[in-house]
Amino acid sequence: MIETLESTQVSPETLQTIDAYWRAANYLSVGQIYLSDNPLLKRPLRIEDVKKMLLGHWGTTPGQNFIYAHLNRTIKQNDLNMIYVSGPGHGGPAVVANTYLEGSYSEIYPHISQDEAGMRKLFVQFSFPGGIPSHASPECPGSIHEGGELGYSLSHSFGAVFDNPDLIVACVVGDGEAETGPLATAWHSNKFLNPATDGAVLPILHLNGFKIANPTILARIDHEELEQLMRGYGWTPIFVEGEDPMKMHAAMAEALDVAIEQIRSIQQNARETGDTSRPRWPMIVLRSPKGWTGPKFVDGVRNEGTFHSHQVPLSDPDKCPEHLKQIEQWLRSYRPEELFDENGRLRQEIADLAPTGDRRMGANPHANGGRLLRRLKMPDFRDYAVEITQRGCRGIGDTHVTGKFIRDIVQLNEEHKNFRIFGPDETISNGLEAVFDVTRRQWNAAIVEDDESLAPTGRVLEMLSEHQCEGWLEGYLLTGRHGLFNCYEAFVHIVDSMFNQHAKWLKVTSELPWRHKIASLNYLLASHVWRQDHNGFTHQDPGFLDVVVNKKAEIVRVYLPPDANCLLSVMDHCLRSQHYVNVVVAGKHPSPQWLTMDEAAEHCAKGIGIWNWAGNESSSDPDVVMACCGDVPTLETLAAVSILREHLPDLTIRVVNVVDLMRLQPKSEHPHGLSDPDFDDLFTKNKHVIFAFHAYPWLVHRLTYRRTNHANIHVRGYKEEGTITTPFDMTVLNDLDRFHLVMDVIDRLPETGERGQHLKALMQEKLVEHRRYINQNGQDMPEVRDWEWSAGS
């Protein structure tokens, strides 16, 4: 344990300066929570100086101010390239206060000037209508991690340092946050870090003892158990514990000096000798009181060092004069007259503690990653085209084709090392095995003789935790690089909340002119609902699309390419794009191929279109529209069309295929949406539309409910029916199969008459035959397995 003044080489004068800087940050933090006027307390505090609504979180703030002040000293002393990630993200007062003190805040927001008038505006805007949120939000310079992202700080930090050999991320992990599953798993990220080619993460586990209303686990286990836990995770913990400010300053200064020396020693050894064996990276455990330096008691109840300090310790000064008095005493305890001059500027001898220019954590380019973004070098996706010898010819599996395209993206960008593939142990399973022709999985734990595709350096990162893969990729993107997350469709739900927060980040930053655009977050969802027959019901869930569509229209995009050439076109577009979340759903099993590359590129550019070669309509409106979205729905729709055209040749059919799901929305609702006239041209104003959809049927209804012909749109999709069965039976169980689609057309069109009823009876017989066959043989009927497209006769 390091906690005495004598243990540090930092001079007493420097420690006094750090303490003054800390007091200044604490003063500004309390001011943000409470004050609307009288920012320098030039007169006694009055009730009208206090905000009417008191919002914010004090408990974690003084500890984060303490850390930030010490990081400033070590950045400047060692000329470090460092950014700050606030895991206890509701410590917004701390990150705002510190970026204000270092000057980066006022450079971005000149009206929040470094004087008395600017300080007043700084205070008023906090948690105030039209102002800023109370957490480490996108509006705060230096932030890459939102206050709502509890549990992801360490994952984001590691994502930030991959391929950034000179970067150090100081990641403050709250002890409440440490109880989340993602954070508990994220400690293992050190097994994936290459000390020669990657940067370093310095975790600072902040034990202040309490969450909102309960103690934290890691603060209530003894020192030995906590040390063994961290060592078991592979870290070397350095403990800083206490509450006496000057002793704690000395201890923290020493801890940081030791940690930075260890990091530099590890990196120097790896980079000079080539030894990339896994080191034990340092981490700091900081134990300090929650609400440190705040009111010790409020209304006779202990506050400092308890959960009562979590938010606003003195919450009703308008009703309790004693609270108003305590607020003033609290603010004056920081001795603001020693910290700020008459005009409200931080005194120069204190301000000099902070680094300057881009070395300030609020101004570091890595925390505004779009500043560093370099476009990917991309091969021509047309070079990977599947040759279409005839409509419906069998392909090897769409993602297997795209895997070769992604392989060459990896190779083309090897020099700049700005593209990675992330996935939970599914890169091969999802059909992207070709990437291992040119790279390996990055892995810095032990490697044994029979291991395959593992190496200290590689462009693929796999860990059986969707949380880590998502968090790593987000951190990688936020610091100016590109990536792809491949995942089983059903289990991408694990990161629903992470997707939500990233989409919100993109939405907010798109409205901040100083925030540069970053590369899009790209999901490739394979092993999808319709081909999880061998895994069964638990692996069948296409509902991530519903979650995605909830987000702002200018941010989200959803693509369901029907074949390999369309998938190539879509992936090329997504990987080139910026500031979106792109979700691509594609199959990995052998499947029919429909469009030539030229046709696919044109079709994907439009996002939706009529497949004239599949239908038989004349110049007038068809009798029925057969619409499809997704690879299996497209197959079943075309199989149904071939049956209808053979048995009911007088029936005129239009086939509409949807690649870009958002084309279904009105143009007023989504940038990709079709105008009402264009939608009516495709789907008609009054004809029945039989729509075979990849996911839950109500999503199509939700997107089209305002359309003229919505009442005639009949959607078939996944309806929570599934088991261990055959691929085709999955569609039968959910009424998405060709036989049900044909019967649906007949039921909607009584004009098909006796021929229609005869065909319906035939379809019912086929369903009975199907059930009997699979129960006896364990596979689909030959006419299903070997089906080939025919336009009928």
Side-chain angles (χ1 to χ4, degrees), residues 699-770:
L699 181 53
V700 172
H701 288 298
R702 174 182 163 192
L703 296 175
T704 61
Y705 78 98
R706 293 184 178 181
R707 299 298 193 176
T708 304
N709 199 31
H710 177 250
N712 286 324
I713 297 177
H714 316 288
V715 188
R716 293 190 177 275
Y718 184 66
K719 58 179 190 179
E720 288 293 310
E721 294 293 339
T723 183
I724 303 296
T725 187
T726 68
F728 181 67
D729 193 46
M730 267 300 300
T731 64
V732 172
L733 292 171
N734 290 277
D735 298 342
L736 184 74
D737 62 283
R738 60 200 68 179
F739 304 137
H740 277 101
L741 293 176
V742 168
M743 290 191 292
D744 204 359
V745 171
I746 295 167
D747 288 342
R748 306 288 177 186
L749 300 176
E751 60 266 33
T752 57
E754 289 188 14
R755 295 187 68 177
Q757 293 306 309
H758 177 75
L759 178 57
K760 181 178 179 179
L762 178 61
M763 297 297 96
Q764 291 169 333
E765 291 171 8
K766 284 293 183 184
L767 288 169
V768 172
E769 181 185 352
H770 153 76

Coordinates of all heavy atoms in Angstrom, one line a residue, residues 699-770:
L699 N -43.2 -5.6 -37.8 CA -42.3 -4.5 -38.2 C -42.6 -3.9 -39.5 O -42.5 -2.7 -39.7 CB -40.8 -5.1 -38.2 CG -39.7 -4.0 -38.5 CD1 -39.8 -2.8 -37.6 CD2 -38.4 -4.7 -38.4
V700 N -43.0 -4.7 -40.5 CA -43.4 -4.2 -41.8 C -44.7 -3.4 -41.6 O -44.8 -2.3 -42.2 CB -43.6 -5.4 -42.8 CG1 -44.2 -4.8 -44.1 CG2 -42.3 -6.0 -43.1
H701 N -45.6 -3.9 -40.8 CA -46.8 -3.1 -40.6 C -46.5 -1.7 -40.0 O -47.1 -0.7 -40.3 CB -47.8 -3.8 -39.8 CG -48.5 -5.0 -40.5 ND1 -49.3 -4.8 -41.6 CD2 -48.4 -6.3 -40.2 CE1 -49.7 -6.0 -42.0 NE2 -49.2 -6.9 -41.2
R702 N -45.6 -1.7 -39.1 CA -45.2 -0.5 -38.4 C -44.6 0.5 -39.4 O -44.8 1.7 -39.3 CB -44.2 -0.9 -37.3 CG -43.6 0.3 -36.6 CD -42.6 -0.2 -35.5 NE -41.7 0.8 -35.1 CZ -40.6 0.6 -34.4 NH1 -40.3 -0.6 -34.0 NH2 -39.8 1.6 -34.0
L703 N -43.8 0.0 -40.3 CA -43.1 0.9 -41.3 C -44.1 1.4 -42.3 O -43.8 2.4 -43.0 CB -41.9 0.1 -41.9 CG -40.8 -0.3 -40.9 CD1 -39.8 -1.1 -41.7 CD2 -40.2 0.9 -40.3
T704 N -45.2 0.7 -42.6 CA -46.0 1.0 -43.7 C -47.4 1.4 -43.3 O -48.3 1.6 -44.2 CB -46.1 -0.2 -44.7 OG1 -46.7 -1.3 -43.9 CG2 -44.8 -0.7 -45.2
Y705 N -47.7 1.7 -42.0 CA -49.0 1.9 -41.6 C -49.7 3.1 -42.2 O -50.9 3.3 -42.3 CB -49.1 1.9 -40.1 CG -48.7 3.2 -39.4 CD1 -49.6 4.2 -39.1 CD2 -47.4 3.4 -39.2 CE1 -49.2 5.4 -38.5 CE2 -46.9 4.6 -38.6 CZ -47.9 5.6 -38.2 OH -47.5 6.8 -37.6
R706 N -48.8 4.1 -42.7 CA -49.4 5.3 -43.3 C -49.6 5.2 -44.8 O -50.1 6.1 -45.4 CB -48.4 6.5 -43.0 CG -48.3 6.9 -41.6 CD -47.3 8.1 -41.4 NE -47.2 8.5 -40.0 CZ -46.5 9.6 -39.7 NH1 -45.8 10.3 -40.6 NH2 -46.4 9.9 -38.4
R707 N -49.2 4.1 -45.4 CA -49.3 4.0 -46.8 C -50.8 3.8 -47.3 O -51.6 3.2 -46.5 CB -48.5 2.8 -47.3 CG -47.0 3.0 -47.0 CD -46.4 4.2 -47.6 NE -44.9 4.1 -47.6 CZ -44.1 5.0 -48.1 NH1 -44.6 6.0 -48.8 NH2 -42.8 4.9 -48.0
T708 N -51.0 4.2 -48.5 CA -52.4 4.1 -49.0 C -53.0 2.7 -49.0 O -54.1 2.5 -48.6 CB -52.4 4.6 -50.5 OG1 -51.8 5.9 -50.6 CG2 -53.8 4.6 -51.1
N709 N -52.1 1.7 -49.3 CA -52.6 0.3 -49.5 C -52.3 -0.5 -48.3 O -52.3 -1.7 -48.4 CB -52.0 -0.3 -50.7 CG -52.7 -1.5 -51.2 OD1 -54.0 -1.6 -51.0 ND2 -52.0 -2.4 -51.8
H710 N -52.1 0.1 -47.1 CA -51.6 -0.7 -46.0 C -52.6 -1.8 -45.6 O -52.2 -2.9 -45.2 CB -51.4 0.2 -44.7 CG -51.0 -0.5 -43.5 ND1 -51.9 -0.6 -42.4 CD2 -49.9 -1.3 -43.2 CE1 -51.3 -1.4 -41.5 NE2 -50.1 -1.8 -42.0
A711 N -53.9 -1.5 -45.7 CA -54.9 -2.5 -45.4 C -54.8 -3.8 -46.2 O -55.2 -4.9 -45.7 CB -56.3 -1.9 -45.5
N712 N -54.2 -3.7 -47.4 CA -54.0 -4.9 -48.2 C -52.7 -5.5 -48.2 O -52.4 -6.4 -49.0 CB -54.4 -4.5 -49.7 CG -55.8 -4.3 -49.9 OD1 -56.7 -5.0 -49.3 ND2 -56.2 -3.4 -50.7
I713 N -51.8 -5.1 -47.2 CA -50.5 -5.7 -47.1 C -50.6 -6.8 -46.0 O -50.9 -6.5 -44.9 CB -49.5 -4.6 -46.7 CG1 -49.3 -3.5 -47.8 CG2 -48.1 -5.2 -46.4 CD1 -48.4 -2.4 -47.4
H714 N -50.3 -8.0 -46.4 CA -50.4 -9.2 -45.6 C -49.1 -9.8 -45.4 O -48.5 -10.3 -46.3 CB -51.4 -10.2 -46.2 CG -52.7 -9.5 -46.7 ND1 -53.7 -9.0 -46.0 CD2 -53.0 -9.3 -48.0 CE1 -54.6 -8.5 -46.7 NE2 -54.3 -8.7 -48.0
V715 N -48.5 -9.7 -44.2 CA -47.1 -10.0 -43.9 C -47.0 -11.4 -43.2 O -47.7 -11.6 -42.3 CB -46.5 -8.9 -43.1 CG1 -45.0 -9.2 -43.0 CG2 -46.7 -7.5 -43.6
R716 N -46.1 -12.2 -43.8 CA -45.8 -13.4 -43.1 C -44.3 -13.4 -42.8 O -43.5 -13.0 -43.6 CB -46.1 -14.6 -44.1 CG -47.6 -14.8 -44.3 CD -47.8 -16.1 -45.1 NE -49.3 -16.3 -45.2 CZ -50.1 -16.9 -44.4 NH1 -49.6 -17.2 -43.2 NH2 -51.4 -17.0 -44.6
G717 N -44.0 -13.7 -41.5 CA -42.7 -13.7 -41.1 C -42.5 -14.6 -39.9 O -43.3 -15.6 -39.7
Y718 N -41.5 -14.4 -39.1 CA -41.3 -15.3 -37.9 C -42.3 -15.0 -36.8 O -42.6 -13.8 -36.4 CB -39.9 -15.0 -37.4 CG -39.5 -15.9 -36.2 CD1 -39.4 -17.3 -36.4 CD2 -39.3 -15.4 -34.9 CE1 -39.1 -18.1 -35.4 CE2 -39.0 -16.3 -33.9 CZ -38.9 -17.6 -34.1 OH -38.5 -18.5 -33.1
K719 N -42.9 -16.0 -36.3 CA -44.0 -15.9 -35.3 C -43.7 -16.8 -34.1 O -44.7 -17.3 -33.5 CB -45.4 -16.0 -35.8 CG -45.6 -17.4 -36.5 CD -47.1 -17.5 -37.0 CE -47.4 -18.9 -37.5 NZ -48.8 -19.0 -37.9
E720 N -42.4 -16.9 -33.7 CA -42.0 -17.6 -32.5 C -42.4 -19.1 -32.6 O -42.9 -19.7 -31.6 CB -42.7 -17.0 -31.3 CG -42.0 -15.7 -30.9 CD -40.6 -15.8 -30.4 OE1 -40.3 -16.6 -29.5 OE2 -39.8 -15.0 -31.0
E721 N -42.2 -19.7 -33.7 CA -42.4 -21.1 -33.9 C -41.1 -21.7 -34.4 O -40.6 -21.2 -35.4 CB -43.5 -21.5 -34.9 CG -44.9 -21.0 -34.4 CD -45.4 -21.8 -33.2 OE1 -44.9 -22.9 -32.9 OE2 -46.3 -21.3 -32.4
G722 N -40.6 -22.7 -33.7 CA -39.3 -23.3 -34.1 C -38.9 -24.4 -33.2 O -39.3 -24.5 -32.1
T723 N -38.1 -25.3 -33.8 CA -37.6 -26.4 -33.0 C -36.4 -27.0 -33.7 O -35.9 -26.5 -34.7 CB -38.7 -27.5 -32.8 OG1 -38.3 -28.6 -32.0 CG2 -39.2 -28.0 -34.2
I724 N -36.0 -28.2 -33.3 CA -34.9 -28.9 -34.0 C -35.7 -29.6 -35.2 O -36.4 -30.5 -35.0 CB -34.2 -30.0 -33.2 CG1 -33.6 -29.3 -31.9 CG2 -33.2 -30.7 -34.0 CD1 -32.5 -28.4 -32.2
T725 N -35.4 -29.1 -36.4 CA -36.2 -29.6 -37.5 C -35.4 -29.3 -38.8 O -34.2 -29.1 -38.8 CB -37.6 -28.9 -37.6 OG1 -38.4 -29.5 -38.6 CG2 -37.4 -27.4 -37.8
T726 N -36.0 -29.5 -39.9 CA -35.4 -29.2 -41.2 C -35.4 -27.8 -41.6 O -36.3 -27.0 -41.1 CB -36.0 -30.1 -42.3 OG1 -37.4 -29.5 -42.6 CG2 -36.1 -31.5 -41.9
P727 N -34.6 -27.3 -42.5 CA -34.6 -25.9 -42.9 C -36.0 -25.5 -43.4 O -36.5 -24.4 -43.1 CB -33.5 -25.8 -44.0 CG -32.6 -26.9 -43.6 CD -33.4 -28.0 -43.1
F728 N -36.5 -26.3 -44.3 CA -37.8 -25.9 -44.9 C -38.9 -25.9 -43.9 O -39.8 -25.1 -43.9 CB -38.2 -26.8 -46.1 CG -39.5 -26.5 -46.8 CD1 -39.6 -25.3 -47.5 CD2 -40.5 -27.4 -46.7 CE1 -40.8 -25.0 -48.1 CE2 -41.7 -27.1 -47.3 CZ -41.9 -25.9 -48.0
D729 N -38.9 -26.9 -42.9 CA -39.9 -27.0 -41.9 C -39.9 -25.7 -41.1 O -41.0 -25.4 -40.5 CB -39.7 -28.2 -41.1 CG -41.0 -28.5 -40.2 OD1 -42.1 -28.5 -40.8 OD2 -40.8 -28.8 -39.0
M730 N -38.8 -25.1 -40.9 CA -38.8 -23.8 -40.2 C -39.8 -22.8 -40.8 O -40.5 -22.1 -40.2 CB -37.4 -23.2 -40.1 CG -36.6 -23.6 -38.9 SD -37.4 -23.0 -37.4 CE -37.4 -21.3 -37.6
T731 N -39.8 -22.7 -42.1 CA -40.7 -21.8 -42.8 C -42.1 -22.3 -42.7 O -43.0 -21.5 -42.6 CB -40.3 -21.6 -44.3 OG1 -40.4 -22.9 -45.0 CG2 -38.8 -21.1 -44.4
V732 N -42.3 -23.6 -42.8 CA -43.7 -24.2 -42.6 C -44.3 -23.9 -41.3 O -45.4 -23.4 -41.2 CB -43.6 -25.7 -42.9 CG1 -45.0 -26.3 -42.6 CG2 -43.2 -26.0 -44.3
L733 N -43.5 -24.0 -40.2 CA -43.9 -23.8 -38.9 C -44.4 -22.3 -38.7 O -45.2 -22.1 -37.8 CB -42.9 -24.1 -37.8 CG -42.5 -25.6 -37.7 CD1 -41.3 -25.8 -36.8 CD2 -43.7 -26.4 -37.1
N734 N -43.8 -21.4 -39.5 CA -44.2 -20.0 -39.3 C -45.0 -19.5 -40.5 O -45.2 -18.3 -40.7 CB -42.9 -19.2 -39.2 CG -42.2 -19.4 -37.9 OD1 -42.5 -18.8 -36.9 ND2 -41.2 -20.3 -37.9
D735 N -45.5 -20.4 -41.3 CA -46.4 -20.1 -42.4 C -45.8 -19.2 -43.5 O -46.4 -18.4 -44.2 CB -47.7 -19.4 -41.9 CG -48.5 -20.3 -41.0 OD1 -48.3 -21.5 -41.0 OD2 -49.4 -19.8 -40.3
L736 N -44.4 -19.3 -43.6 CA -43.7 -18.5 -44.5 C -43.3 -19.3 -45.8 O -42.8 -18.8 -46.8 CB -42.4 -17.9 -43.9 CG -41.6 -17.0 -44.7 CD1 -42.2 -15.6 -44.8 CD2 -40.1 -16.9 -44.1
D737 N -43.6 -20.6 -45.8 CA -43.2 -21.4 -46.9 C -44.0 -21.2 -48.2 O -45.1 -20.5 -48.1 CB -43.4 -22.9 -46.5 CG -44.9 -23.2 -46.2 OD1 -45.4 -22.8 -45.1 OD2 -45.5 -23.8 -47.1
R738 N -43.6 -21.7 -49.3 CA -44.2 -21.5 -50.6 C -45.6 -22.0 -50.6 O -46.5 -21.4 -51.3 CB -43.3 -22.2 -51.6 CG -43.2 -23.7 -51.4 CD -42.0 -24.4 -52.1 NE -40.8 -23.9 -51.6 CZ -39.6 -24.3 -52.0 NH1 -39.5 -25.2 -53.0 NH2 -38.5 -23.9 -51.4
F739 N -45.9 -23.1 -49.9 CA -47.3 -23.6 -50.0 C -48.3 -22.7 -49.3 O -49.4 -22.5 -49.8 CB -47.3 -25.0 -49.4 CG -46.3 -26.0 -50.0 CD1 -45.6 -26.9 -49.3 CD2 -46.1 -26.0 -51.4 CE1 -44.7 -27.7 -49.8 CE2 -45.2 -26.9 -52.0 CZ -44.5 -27.8 -51.2
H740 N -47.9 -22.2 -48.1 CA -48.7 -21.3 -47.4 C -48.9 -20.0 -48.2 O -50.0 -19.3 -48.2 CB -48.2 -21.0 -46.0 CG -48.6 -22.0 -45.0 ND1 -47.8 -23.0 -44.6 CD2 -49.8 -22.2 -44.3 CE1 -48.4 -23.7 -43.6 NE2 -49.6 -23.2 -43.5
L741 N -47.8 -19.5 -48.8 CA -47.9 -18.3 -49.6 C -48.9 -18.4 -50.8 O -49.7 -17.5 -51.1 CB -46.5 -17.9 -50.1 CG -45.5 -17.5 -49.1 CD1 -44.1 -17.2 -49.7 CD2 -46.0 -16.2 -48.3
V742 N -48.8 -19.6 -51.5 CA -49.8 -19.8 -52.6 C -51.2 -19.8 -52.0 O -52.1 -19.2 -52.6 CB -49.4 -21.2 -53.2 CG1 -50.6 -21.6 -54.2 CG2 -48.1 -21.1 -54.0
M743 N -51.4 -20.5 -50.9 CA -52.8 -20.5 -50.4 C -53.2 -19.1 -49.9 O -54.4 -18.8 -50.1 CB -52.8 -21.5 -49.2 CG -52.7 -23.0 -49.6 SD -53.0 -24.1 -48.2 CE -51.7 -23.8 -47.1
D744 N -52.3 -18.3 -49.5 CA -52.7 -17.0 -49.1 C -53.2 -16.2 -50.3 O -54.2 -15.4 -50.2 CB -51.5 -16.3 -48.4 CG -51.9 -15.2 -47.5 OD1 -53.1 -14.9 -47.4 OD2 -51.0 -14.5 -46.9
V745 N -52.5 -16.3 -51.4 CA -52.9 -15.6 -52.6 C -54.3 -16.1 -53.0 O -55.2 -15.3 -53.3 CB -51.9 -15.9 -53.8 CG1 -52.5 -15.4 -55.1 CG2 -50.6 -15.3 -53.5
I746 N -54.5 -17.4 -53.0 CA -55.9 -17.9 -53.4 C -57.0 -17.4 -52.5 O -58.0 -17.0 -52.9 CB -55.8 -19.4 -53.4 CG1 -54.8 -19.9 -54.5 CG2 -57.2 -20.0 -53.6 CD1 -54.5 -21.4 -54.4
D747 N -56.7 -17.4 -51.2 CA -57.7 -16.9 -50.2 C -58.0 -15.4 -50.4 O -59.1 -15.0 -50.2 CB -57.2 -17.1 -48.8 CG -57.2 -18.5 -48.4 OD1 -57.9 -19.4 -49.0 OD2 -56.5 -18.9 -47.4
R748 N -57.0 -14.6 -50.9 CA -57.2 -13.2 -51.1 C -57.9 -12.9 -52.4 O -58.4 -11.8 -52.6 CB -55.9 -12.4 -51.0 CG -55.1 -12.7 -49.8 CD -55.6 -12.0 -48.6 NE -54.8 -12.4 -47.4 CZ -55.1 -12.0 -46.1 NH1 -56.2 -11.4 -45.9 NH2 -54.3 -12.4 -45.1
L749 N -57.8 -13.9 -53.4 CA -58.3 -13.6 -54.7 C -59.3 -14.7 -55.1 O -59.1 -15.7 -55.7 CB -57.1 -13.7 -55.7 CG -56.0 -12.7 -55.5 CD1 -54.9 -12.9 -56.5 CD2 -56.5 -11.3 -55.6
P750 N -60.6 -14.4 -54.7 CA -61.7 -15.4 -55.0 C -61.8 -15.6 -56.5 O -62.4 -16.6 -57.0 CB -62.9 -14.8 -54.4 CG -62.6 -13.3 -54.2 CD -61.1 -13.3 -54.0
E751 N -61.3 -14.6 -57.3 CA -61.5 -14.8 -58.8 C -60.7 -15.9 -59.4 O -60.8 -16.3 -60.5 CB -61.1 -13.5 -59.5 CG -59.7 -13.0 -59.3 CD -59.6 -12.0 -58.1 OE1 -60.4 -12.1 -57.1 OE2 -58.8 -11.1 -58.2
T752 N -59.8 -16.5 -58.6 CA -59.1 -17.7 -59.1 C -60.0 -18.9 -59.2 O -59.6 -19.9 -59.9 CB -57.9 -18.0 -58.1 OG1 -58.4 -18.3 -56.8 CG2 -56.9 -16.9 -58.1
G753 N -61.2 -18.8 -58.6 CA -62.2 -19.8 -58.8 C -61.8 -21.2 -58.5 O -61.1 -21.5 -57.6
E754 N -62.4 -22.2 -59.3 CA -62.2 -23.6 -59.0 C -60.7 -24.0 -59.2 O -60.2 -24.8 -58.5 CB -63.1 -24.4 -60.0 CG -64.6 -24.4 -59.7 CD -65.3 -25.3 -60.5 OE1 -64.7 -26.2 -61.2 OE2 -66.6 -25.2 -60.6
R755 N -60.1 -23.4 -60.2 CA -58.7 -23.7 -60.4 C -57.9 -23.3 -59.1 O -57.0 -24.0 -58.7 CB -58.1 -23.0 -61.6 CG -58.7 -23.5 -62.9 CD -58.0 -22.9 -64.1 NE -56.7 -23.4 -64.3 CZ -55.9 -23.1 -65.3 NH1 -56.3 -22.2 -66.2 NH2 -54.7 -23.7 -65.4
G756 N -58.2 -22.2 -58.6 CA -57.6 -21.8 -57.3 C -57.8 -22.7 -56.2 O -56.9 -23.1 -55.4
Q757 N -59.1 -23.1 -56.0 CA -59.4 -24.1 -54.9 C -58.7 -25.4 -55.1 O -58.3 -26.1 -54.2 CB -60.9 -24.2 -54.8 CG -61.7 -23.0 -54.4 CD -61.1 -22.4 -53.1 OE1 -61.0 -23.1 -52.1 NE2 -60.8 -21.1 -53.1
H758 N -58.7 -25.9 -56.4 CA -57.9 -27.1 -56.7 C -56.5 -27.0 -56.3 O -55.9 -27.9 -55.6 CB -58.1 -27.5 -58.1 CG -57.3 -28.7 -58.5 ND1 -57.7 -30.0 -58.2 CD2 -56.1 -28.8 -59.2 CE1 -56.8 -30.8 -58.7 NE2 -55.9 -30.2 -59.3
L759 N -55.9 -25.8 -56.6 CA -54.5 -25.6 -56.3 C -54.3 -25.5 -54.7 O -53.3 -26.1 -54.2 CB -53.9 -24.4 -56.9 CG -52.5 -24.0 -56.6 CD1 -51.5 -25.1 -57.0 CD2 -52.1 -22.7 -57.3
K760 N -55.2 -24.9 -54.1 CA -55.1 -24.8 -52.6 C -55.2 -26.2 -52.0 O -54.4 -26.5 -51.1 CB -56.3 -24.0 -52.1 CG -56.3 -23.8 -50.6 CD -57.4 -22.9 -50.1 CE -57.4 -22.8 -48.5 NZ -58.4 -21.9 -48.0
A761 N -56.1 -27.1 -52.5 CA -56.1 -28.4 -52.0 C -54.8 -29.2 -52.2 O -54.3 -29.9 -51.4 CB -57.3 -29.2 -52.6
L762 N -54.2 -28.9 -53.4 CA -52.9 -29.5 -53.7 C -51.8 -29.0 -52.7 O -51.0 -29.8 -52.2 CB -52.5 -29.2 -55.1 CG -51.1 -29.7 -55.6 CD1 -51.1 -31.2 -55.5 CD2 -50.8 -29.2 -57.0
M763 N -51.9 -27.8 -52.4 CA -50.9 -27.2 -51.4 C -51.1 -27.8 -50.0 O -50.1 -28.1 -49.3 CB -51.0 -25.7 -51.3 CG -50.7 -24.9 -52.6 SD -49.0 -25.1 -53.2 CE -49.2 -26.5 -54.4
Q764 N -52.3 -28.0 -49.6 CA -52.6 -28.7 -48.3 C -52.0 -30.1 -48.3 O -51.5 -30.6 -47.3 CB -54.1 -28.6 -48.0 CG -54.6 -27.2 -47.8 CD -56.1 -27.1 -47.7 OE1 -56.8 -27.9 -48.3 NE2 -56.6 -26.1 -47.0
E765 N -52.2 -30.8 -49.5 CA -51.7 -32.1 -49.6 C -50.1 -32.1 -49.5 O -49.5 -33.0 -48.9 CB -52.1 -32.8 -50.9 CG -53.6 -33.1 -50.9 CD -54.0 -33.5 -52.3 OE1 -53.2 -33.7 -53.2 OE2 -55.3 -33.6 -52.5
K766 N -49.5 -31.1 -50.1 CA -48.1 -31.0 -50.0 C -47.6 -30.8 -48.6 O -46.5 -31.3 -48.2 CB -47.6 -29.8 -50.9 CG -47.7 -30.1 -52.4 CD -46.6 -31.2 -52.8 CE -46.6 -31.4 -54.3 NZ -45.7 -32.5 -54.6
L767 N -48.3 -30.0 -47.8 CA -47.9 -29.8 -46.4 C -48.0 -31.1 -45.6 O -47.2 -31.4 -44.8 CB -48.8 -28.7 -45.8 CG -48.5 -27.3 -46.3 CD1 -49.6 -26.4 -45.8 CD2 -47.1 -26.9 -45.8
V768 N -49.0 -31.9 -45.9 CA -49.2 -33.2 -45.2 C -48.0 -34.1 -45.7 O -47.4 -34.8 -44.9 CB -50.5 -33.8 -45.6 CG1 -50.6 -35.3 -45.0 CG2 -51.7 -33.0 -45.0
E769 N -47.8 -34.1 -47.0 CA -46.7 -34.9 -47.5 C -45.3 -34.5 -46.9 O -44.5 -35.4 -46.6 CB -46.6 -34.8 -49.1 CG -45.5 -35.6 -49.7 CD -45.4 -35.4 -51.2 OE1 -46.3 -34.7 -51.7 OE2 -44.5 -35.8 -51.8
H770 N -45.1 -33.2 -46.8 CA -43.9 -32.7 -46.2 C -43.7 -33.2 -44.8 O -42.6 -33.7 -44.4 CB -43.9 -31.1 -46.2 CG -43.1 -30.5 -45.1 ND1 -41.7 -30.4 -45.2 CD2 -43.5 -29.9 -43.9 CE1 -41.3 -29.8 -44.1 NE2 -42.3 -29.5 -43.3

